[in-house]
Amino acid sequence: MIEKYRVQLDLFGLMKLLALVGFGVGVIAGFALLIFTVLQGGNIFQALLPMIISPFSNALVTALFGLVSYPFYNWYCKRNRGQVLTGRFLKEQQGQQDI
């Protein structure tokens, strides 16, 4: 069942979410860089290091963007009574972890 909630992430919640998104983008960008390098006739080994580093560097950069943009995000959420999120939500009970 899809539910709709108004939420406001705290600073570390926003940074963790953005780091996860940045990591995923880095995986795709690193793979695209590898393919592009090979198609252009470049050495595959030259593209391996950036492919490996890209997810981690993107995660770090997007987490820092979360840190820098948090004041705006906080203002936006207070002005609009939170951010509307849709999806499946599971409320965690204290001391219990379901994944």
Side-chain angles (χ1 to χ4, degrees), residues 2-51:
I2 304 286
E3 298 183 44
K4 185 175 179 180
Y5 288 92
R6 287 191 174 273
V7 299
Q8 180 176 354
L9 301 173
D10 62 3
L11 174 61
F12 294 109
L14 180 64
M15 288 176 67
K16 286 191 300 188
L17 176 64
L18 290 178
L20 178 65
V21 171
F23 187 87
V25 169
V27 168
I28 294 168
F31 186 69
L33 176 64
L34 180 71
I35 298 296
F36 181 75
T37 302
V38 170
L39 289 177
Q40 295 298 318
N43 187 350
I44 191 170
F45 296 109
Q46 290 177 329
L48 283 178
L49 184 60
M51 186 181 111

Side-chain angles (χ1 to χ4, degrees), residues 43-99:
N43 187 350
I44 191 170
F45 296 109
Q46 290 177 329
L48 283 178
L49 184 60
M51 186 181 111
I52 294 169
I53 293 174
S54 180
F56 300 103
S57 62
N58 278 352
L60 178 63
V61 167
T62 54
L64 290 175
F65 284 163
L67 179 66
V68 171
S69 66
Y70 185 74
F72 171 75
Y73 173 78
N74 191 30
W75 169 82
Y76 175 83
C77 286
K78 285 183 179 180
R79 184 173 181 264
N80 294 302
R81 296 182 345 180
Q83 174 186 3
V84 176
L85 295 179
T86 58
R88 289 179 271 164
F89 299 92
L90 175 65
K91 183 175 181 175
E92 285 193 14
Q93 301 297 324
Q94 194 170 17
Q96 180 183 1
Q97 225 177 7
D98 288 331
I99 293 184

